[in-house]
Amino acid sequence: MAEAGAATEKPSKWRALGLALRNRKTAFMAVFGFASGLPFALFLGTLYAWLTEAEVDLETMGVFSLIGLAYAFQFLWSPLVDRVDIPALRKLGKRKQWIAPMQLLLGVILVTMSLLDPGTQLGWFSLLAGIGAFASATQDIVINAWRIDVADEEATIDILSTVTQMGFRLAALVGGALGLIIAERIGWPQTYVVMGVIMLAIGIAGLFAPDADVDRAAAMSEHAERTAELYEAGELEPRIRNRALLAVGLLWGWAIVIMVIFMIRALGGFIPLMTTFSISVFGSSWVIDPNFLLGMFALNEEGRPDVTEFTTVMGPLVIMATIVVPAAIAAWLVRLKRDGRHVIREDRVADRHDGLILDQLYRALLLPLVEFVGRMGWSIVLVLALVLTYRITDAIWGTFAYPFYLGELEYTLDEVAVASKFFGVGAIILGLALGGWMITAIGRMFTLTLGAFLAAVTNLLYADLARGGGTMQVVSNAIGFTWAVNQFPGGSDRLARLMIVIGGENLAIGIAGAAYIAWLSSIVAKGYSAVQYALLASLTLLVGTLGRGALGEMIEERGYYDVFIFTMLIGFVAVVLCILEWIREHRAGARSGVVAPDAG
């Protein structure tokens, strides 16, 4: 009987896959995935090839990469894009009213950047790139929410997640390979004009996408009902909610301020140091240093803050302020409500003294976190640890890929375009397709764990390349890959080993990416999809972004080989966490009486 059941299950999965791929939502998901990936590739990838040619040093590039914090902190304004309507654009749809303006803004920014010289106008260049990263991160918030909102039994969340990544990686081909090839022939300014026009065209095409929308009157009614629910018996008292909201708001605000100050100072902007002062409390004197509180350490000999010092000292504090403490506050609120302490005893109607604006902020900003923590319980620790570490192996060093290929190994732009973009993106798309099939046929958690393992061990391929690539050359020769590459114009032995290294890593990244996006999408609540997914997606980039400045110094001091060994070891942490999450999900399914088929 079991064998018969398995026999009928396989065709249904293939049929389900075929139906999903023919769905209109799936097609537009590919377009939106592409729209999400193109700015990311241009601001945090291809741009560094331009900076390398402009002779910007590695440490400055590491600091410049902090524009990626827009992606890491996107959860801070995700409630805004989730709740606020843009005047005159609401008729486009709940999600598209934000997607279209961001894509148009990105197109304008890319064209404007083409008018600047990064070698002599790095400040303005950084500002535009920062605004572009902000617009790109905002677009990502809405696209991710759109994907979760429109998912149904035919266009499933797993398929839409895989298609998203395929579109994202295809954008890397256009923004990377095509960008490098165009730049080699007509220059970087013209390249960014072309990319800007592509982004504008995408914005227009996206206007015809379906939207997970509701009637405006119904939405307003639901909005009022949810606010009224805060004043039902058993809900937390307004003063308790407001205190928690104030604490989280101050923590997140502090984190943003110190990161902005650091970027300004690191890129040559002047912010004067403040004077220390002392206060007396119960007879004890305390010296307060505002400079430390704002992360303004002394400048080094080059007139910039020490990146390693800032990362090692302030990095953990930023993570504490943005993740650990807010999660603890949310857990405290969950505990108070569960124990019936500081709760409303009888249903009542909110009045003007209750602070209705604060209620809206609480519902938009803190309630999604409270819901997530309340639903996950202590498992939140494991989930957040996995989110923080899963993609760090490829995220943390990606900024330095072009300096590694072009500077350290001295490949040409054309060679990098062929290996990293055409061949590499093809390998990622193959990995995504394989990952999508594995999720459907074998299980999400198995694929997630395997992806983490492969992403970690493929760092050894780069470590070998940093030492000359002898082992990879032997492998390439043995399987006939070197011979095949040499049959094409421009082919060489060294290009073959670069292609096989990049192809191996990107295949692993594709498998891992398909499983990871599907897993993230599966653990958020649909009613809070924009904020919860933005929070988790942001945390995915946070550690890698904070660590890039220090990694740039590590490369300068110890070389690329040690960096690849280091990132491999970090990757194995994610493997262990995947196994623990797999066990947790299996046990949770067993306790509920249903073991999910996608749990692996």
Side-chain angles (χ1 to χ4, degrees):
M1 292 295 294
E3 290 179 4
T8 58
E9 187 175 299
K10 241 180 190 178
S12 66
K13 288 181 178 180
W14 283 107
R15 182 173 179 275
L17 182 62
L19 289 173
L21 292 177
R22 291 194 297 271
N23 192 289
R24 182 166 174 256
K25 295 176 183 178
T26 306
F28 274 104
M29 190 72 263
V31 173
F32 284 160
F34 186 94
S36 178
L38 187 60
F40 192 88
L42 294 173
F43 292 130
L44 295 180
T46 307
L47 190 62
Y48 296 94
W50 190 356
L51 295 177
T52 299
E53 288 198 356
E55 299 182 349
V56 176
D57 62 82
L58 285 176
E59 186 176 345
T60 299
M61 277 193 265
V63 174
F64 186 89
S65 71
L66 290 176
I67 63 171
L69 286 172
Y71 296 93
F73 285 104
Q74 62 182 243
F75 64 91
L76 294 177
W77 64 92
S78 59
L80 176 69
V81 300
D82 191 37
R83 305 283 182 184
V84 175
D85 291 336
I86 302 177
L89 296 180
R90 180 60 178 82
K91 61 183 179 181
L92 293 177
K94 180 181 178 182
R95 303 304 183 188
K96 290 192 295 182
Q97 66 172 324
W98 283 96
I99 293 175
M102 292 304 105
Q103 291 174 344
L104 294 173
L105 176 60
L106 284 164
V108 171
I109 287 174
L110 291 172
V111 172
T112 306
M113 288 179 70
S114 70
L115 305 176
L116 301 176
D117 177 13
T120 59
Q121 298 172 293
L122 188 60
W124 285 106
F125 202 78
S126 303
L127 177 62
L128 276 176
I131 296 173
F134 177 84
S136 177
T138 302
Q139 152 181 252
D140 290 353
I141 293 170
V142 194
I143 288 174
N144 289 323
W146 182 90
R147 180 182 71 249
I148 295 167
D149 289 349
V150 302
D152 54 30
E153 293 182 357
E154 184 172 296
T156 66
I157 192 64
D158 286 340
I159 295 299
L160 291 181
S161 299
T162 301
V163 170
T164 302
Q165 283 291 294
M166 286 186 171
F168 189 96
R169 297 302 178 177
L170 185 60
L173 181 64
V174 174
L178 184 61
L180 291 175
I181 291 172
I182 295 175
E184 181 86 351
R185 286 154 179 78
I186 63 175
W188 285 109
Q190 293 81 358
T191 300
Y192 270 68
V193 170
V194 171
M195 298 304 163
V197 171
I198 292 174
M199 214 45 227
L200 292 171
I202 290 173
I204 296 172
L207 295 175
F208 299 95
D211 203 355
D213 211 350
V214 293
D215 179 76
R216 182 175 178 80
M220 294 298 292
S221 176
E222 181 185 359
H223 181 74
E225 287 177 8
R226 288 190 176 183
T227 301
E229 288 174 359
L230 296 177
Y231 292 89
E232 294 177 352
E235 294 295 328
L236 292 169
E237 297 174 353
R239 62 185 180 87
I240 298 299
R241 298 198 306 261
N242 294 342
R243 290 174 185 175
L245 180 63
L246 176 63
V248 173
L250 289 175
L251 288 169
W252 285 351
W254 170 80
I256 292 175
V257 167
I258 68 166
M259 296 309 303
V260 169
I261 290 175
F262 174 70
M263 282 194 65
I264 291 173
R265 298 179 80 222
L267 293 172
F270 176 71
I271 297 179
L273 295 177
M274 292 182 245
T275 305
T276 59
F277 60 91
S278 60
I279 59 173
S280 295
V281 181
F282 300 117
S284 299
S285 181
W286 299 82
V287 177
I288 306 297
D289 185 1
N291 299 303
F292 176 81
L293 294 177
L294 295 174
M296 295 203 302
F297 302 114
L299 302 178
N300 58 24
E301 296 178 356
E302 299 175 353
R304 294 188 297 193
D306 188 294
V307 178
T308 301
E309 181 183 20
F310 179 85
T311 302
T312 55
V313 176
M314 303 308 293
L317 294 179
V318 168
I319 293 174
M320 287 288 293
T322 57
I323 305 167
V324 179
V325 178
I329 291 173
W332 173 66
L333 294 176
V334 170
R335 182 66 179 271
L336 287 179
K337 185 175 179 180
R338 183 185 303 144
D339 294 346
R341 291 183 291 150
H342 301 292
V343 297
I344 298 171
R345 299 303 174 184
E346 296 181 0
D347 292 357
R348 68 181 180 85
V349 178
D351 58 42
R352 61 188 181 86
H353 300 293
D354 288 316
L356 296 181
I357 293 178
L358 293 178
D359 289 342
Q360 302 306 319
L361 288 174
Y362 175 80
R363 278 205 323 111
L365 193 62
L366 197 50
L367 191 57
L369 183 59
V370 171
E371 189 280 336
F372 190 66
V373 172
R375 176 162 47 88
M376 301 300 297
W378 281 105
S379 300
I380 190 71
V381 177
L382 173 59
V383 169
L384 291 180
L386 181 54
V387 167
L388 285 168
T389 57
Y390 191 81
R391 298 302 302 273
I392 195 172
T393 52
D394 55 282
I396 194 171
W397 96 275
T399 295
F400 306 102
Y402 285 118
F404 178 59
Y405 302 144
L406 301 173
E408 179 77 6
L409 303 181
E410 297 183 347
Y411 283 97
T412 66
L413 285 176
D414 280 352
E415 288 174 326
V416 173
V418 169
S420 179
K421 300 307 174 183
F422 284 114
F423 187 76
V425 171
I428 283 184
I429 293 175
L430 177 61
L432 286 167
L434 182 59
W437 173 82
M438 291 173 66
I439 292 170
T440 304
I442 303 174
R444 184 189 298 139
M445 291 310 300
F446 176 86
T447 311
L448 188 76
T449 306
L450 177 64
F453 175 77
L454 294 175
V457 298
T458 50
N459 279 271
L460 292 177
L461 307 184
Y462 281 95
D464 178 72
L465 202 60
R467 286 286 182 90
T471 302
M472 288 298 97
Q473 192 67 63
V474 170
V475 171
S476 180
N477 294 342
I479 64 176
F481 189 74
T482 303
W483 175 86
V485 171
N486 277 301
Q487 304 311 302
F488 293 91
S492 65
D493 290 4
R494 65 194 300 268
L495 177 59
R497 65 173 177 261
L498 179 65
M499 291 173 68
I500 204 167
V501 167
I502 291 176
E505 186 209 27
N506 287 7
L507 184 68
I509 289 175
I511 294 172
Y516 183 66
I517 298 300
W519 174 71
L520 278 189
S521 300
S522 73
I523 63 175
V524 303
K526 204 159 191 176
Y528 302 101
S529 58
V531 179
Q532 289 183 355
Y533 192 92
L535 175 63
L536 295 174
S538 297
L539 301 187
T540 301
L541 300 171
L542 182 57
V543 175
T545 303
L546 287 174
R548 284 176 190 149
L551 200 71
E553 289 189 358
M554 183 178 178
I555 293 172
E556 296 276 15
E557 295 172 3
R558 305 189 61 175
Y560 283 97
Y561 178 83
D562 287 347
V563 168
F564 292 126
I565 299 299
F566 175 67
T567 53
M568 179 197 68
L569 295 175
I570 294 176
F572 282 122
V573 175
V575 175
V576 174
L577 293 173
C578 280
I579 294 172
L580 294 177
E581 170 65 6
W582 192 351
I583 294 171
R584 182 196 72 79
E585 290 197 9
H586 181 78
R587 288 179 175 175
R591 282 196 299 270
S592 66
V594 179
V595 179
D598 61 359

